Amino acid sequence: MTLTDQLQKIYTKEQYSAVEAQDMAHLISWGPVVFQVARLLNKYGILELLDNHTEGQTLEQLVEATGLSEYAVKCLMEAALTMHAVLIDDKTDTYTLAKTGWFLLNDPLIRVDIDFNHDVNYEGWFKLDEALETGKPAGLRHFGSWKTVYEGLSSLPEQVQKSWFGFDHYYSDHSFDRAMEIIFSRDVKNLLDVGGNTGKFARKVVEYNKEVEVTICDLKQQLEMMREQTKGHESADRIHAYAMNLLDDSAEFPADRHYDIIWMSQFLDCFSEKEIVSILLRAGRIMDEKSRICILETLWDRQKYQSAALSLTMTSLYFTAIANGNSKMYNTDDMSRLISEAGLEIETINDNIGMGGHSMLICKKKQ
């Protein structure tokens, strides 16, 4: 495994003393309730209240502001204190916001992750062992009987959909501008957006370039959602749809025109290794020497920060328990191997795209 210099320093040597390691183990053992306390500190406006009152707030003031009982507030604040979200002045018994609490309140990525894990994943984590043992998303059952979460996205409860798309779009949206620059550094007239979801990227593309035609390839129910999202868009006539179940090995990519770019953004991580090779093989059949596949992924081993690598490896277990049971956030070695098995080669890799630490792998057919 090839790690970035930053991650190599962290993951190849012990980071903690014995006492620090024991503290971390305790934090992990109480992780589920630590998570819920963090969520509720935001839900009840406690972190925001402390952020607005830097002089501090007493227990009585927090009770009055939240409308909760003294018992409820005391439980939350004592837990918040021990998880370093707040500080206390033991002379005046006033609480103030600690740095961790500030990030829980103000970092939009953390807020997105909290909503995603609570609304989409929390109940499903209870079935993680079953999912790992069977290769099926056992944690998805409490939402419906679909084989994958993608089949049921349009039927999920409204709040679950909101948190799912909020998570999905946050990581990709911040990468789109730089991705567009890279894509259109070459002559692109037709772009195939594989797994285009709600058409958000397709809308960006047709806004960026006034001549390009985009075809979105996805499940029928996803394309119906895309049509709703693109309805009325001034360039919607340049966004086309091609219904395809990518898990069907006999389903071929559209060959109605020459596609200069085959775009796969946060897409291949939704499939197992065998499925990825199948998808790339079929994509290769509509390519010529001028075509390129652009794969945008958050490869966990190419991250600059430990927190990013942690988030991505934990996201792998969302795929295990909820999404499909057999995919993950891949590392560079694994993704490169799968690309090669499909008869393709990586031409260039562009790192550090957007806020999510995306990498764009530009691939061509092997000569």
Side-chain angles (χ1 to χ4, degrees):
M1 183 184 298
T2 304
L3 299 169
T4 60
D5 291 343
Q6 297 93 328
L7 295 185
Q8 189 179 49
K9 293 174 184 176
I10 298 168
Y11 296 140
T12 60
K13 295 178 182 178
E14 180 61 69
Q15 299 295 302
Y16 300 122
S17 68
V19 172
E20 290 169 338
Q22 187 179 37
D23 285 345
M24 176 59 73
H26 278 299
L27 181 64
I28 291 170
S29 70
W30 287 101
V33 71
V34 170
F35 170 83
Q36 289 296 349
V37 169
R39 185 181 72 85
L40 295 176
L41 290 171
N42 268 320
K43 176 181 177 180
Y44 296 130
I46 292 172
L47 296 180
E48 184 176 10
L49 192 67
L50 295 178
D51 195 34
N52 292 335
H53 294 273
T54 55
E55 74 282 4
Q57 292 281 282
T58 64
L59 185 69
E60 292 74 19
Q61 288 172 315
L62 292 172
V63 167
E64 182 179 356
T66 61
L68 296 171
S69 69
E70 180 179 321
Y71 165 80
V73 174
K74 186 175 289 187
C75 284
L76 286 174
M77 296 312 294
E78 289 176 355
L81 184 65
T82 59
M83 56 192 262
H84 303 290
V86 302
L87 299 170
I88 192 167
D89 184 325
D90 57 1
K91 294 183 176 62
T92 61
D93 282 343
T94 56
Y95 290 98
T96 54
L97 196 63
K99 290 177 182 176
T100 298
W102 188 92
F103 281 107
L104 287 170
L105 173 66
N106 292 297
D107 189 326
L109 177 53
I110 290 173
R111 296 291 292 270
V112 163
D113 285 350
I114 286 176
D115 289 344
F116 177 65
N117 277 313
H118 178 70
D119 294 328
V120 180
N121 300 327
Y122 204 81
E123 292 182 68
W125 291 141
F126 192 75
K127 300 292 184 182
L128 180 57
D129 50 353
E130 181 183 342
L132 286 166
E133 292 162 10
T134 63
K136 299 183 185 301
L140 182 61
R141 283 200 297 263
H142 72 279
F143 287 130
S145 58
W146 312 290
K147 291 182 178 179
T148 71
V149 73
Y150 312 105
E151 297 171 28
L153 269 181
S154 60
S155 302
L156 290 174
E158 183 178 354
Q159 182 57 42
V160 177
Q161 282 192 40
K162 181 180 177 182
S163 294
W164 192 95
F165 283 112
F167 177 83
D168 185 64
H169 289 165
Y170 187 89
Y171 279 93
S172 60
D173 287 1
H174 293 285
S175 65
F176 283 169
D177 289 343
R178 176 63 183 137
M180 220 74 69
E181 294 173 6
I182 297 171
I183 289 171
F184 287 102
S185 64
R186 60 176 67 237
D187 184 27
V188 178
K189 291 184 170 58
N190 287 289
L191 182 146
L192 181 64
D193 184 358
V194 184
N197 215 325
T198 60
K200 200 166 189 179
F201 179 74
R203 295 198 302 273
K204 287 276 189 181
V205 171
V206 294
E207 288 169 4
Y208 187 91
N209 185 295
K210 301 304 180 184
E211 296 181 359
V212 68
E213 302 278 333
V214 178
T215 299
I216 296 178
C217 176
D218 215 325
L219 294 168
K220 181 181 177 181
Q221 54 265 45
Q222 293 299 101
L223 294 176
E224 290 172 357
M225 292 176 66
M226 178 274 289
R227 283 303 184 202
E228 282 298 315
Q229 294 292 322
T230 57
K231 187 185 297 182
H233 190 278
E234 61 177 351
S235 300
D237 61 325
R238 288 190 284 124
I239 301 176
H240 315 289
Y242 183 84
M244 178 180 177
N245 179 3
L246 289 144
L247 290 174
D248 180 355
D249 288 340
S250 66
E252 297 291 339
F253 282 96
D256 58 326
R257 64 187 78 187
H258 176 269
Y259 289 100
D260 306 290
I261 296 291
I262 301 174
W263 173 252
M264 300 180 180
S265 173
Q266 290 184 190
F267 171 72
L268 292 181
D269 53 49
C270 301
F271 299 92
S272 69
E273 291 194 1
K274 181 181 177 181
E275 291 163 350
I276 289 172
V277 173
S278 171
I279 290 167
L280 292 177
L281 277 169
R282 284 176 281 154
R285 289 203 276 267
I286 65 167
M287 295 175 65
D288 60 22
E289 69 279 0
K290 294 182 180 179
S291 308
R292 295 293 184 270
I293 296 180
C294 293
I295 299 171
L296 190 72
E297 285 289 345
T298 43
L299 301 167
W300 75 260
D301 61 321
R302 302 182 80 86
Q303 300 303 308
K304 290 194 295 185
Y305 303 110
Q306 178 184 9
S307 57
L310 172 76
S311 296
L312 293 172
T313 57
M314 296 302 154
T315 300
S316 289
L317 296 170
Y318 143 74
F319 285 114
T320 305
I322 306 292
N324 53 36
N326 59 13
S327 74
K328 66 191 294 293
M329 306 304 292
Y330 292 93
N331 63 43
T332 309
D333 290 351
D334 287 340
M335 187 60 71
S336 300
R337 171 174 50 81
L338 299 173
I339 289 168
S340 180
E341 287 179 18
L344 305 168
E345 59 181 305
I346 299 173
E347 187 174 54
T348 58
I349 301 180
N350 299 272
D351 289 323
N352 303 317
I353 297 173
M355 294 177 63
H358 287 75
S359 297
M360 187 190 293
L361 291 72
I362 301 177
C363 306
K364 63 181 181 179
K365 294 190 77 167
K366 287 182 179 177
Q367 299 300 312

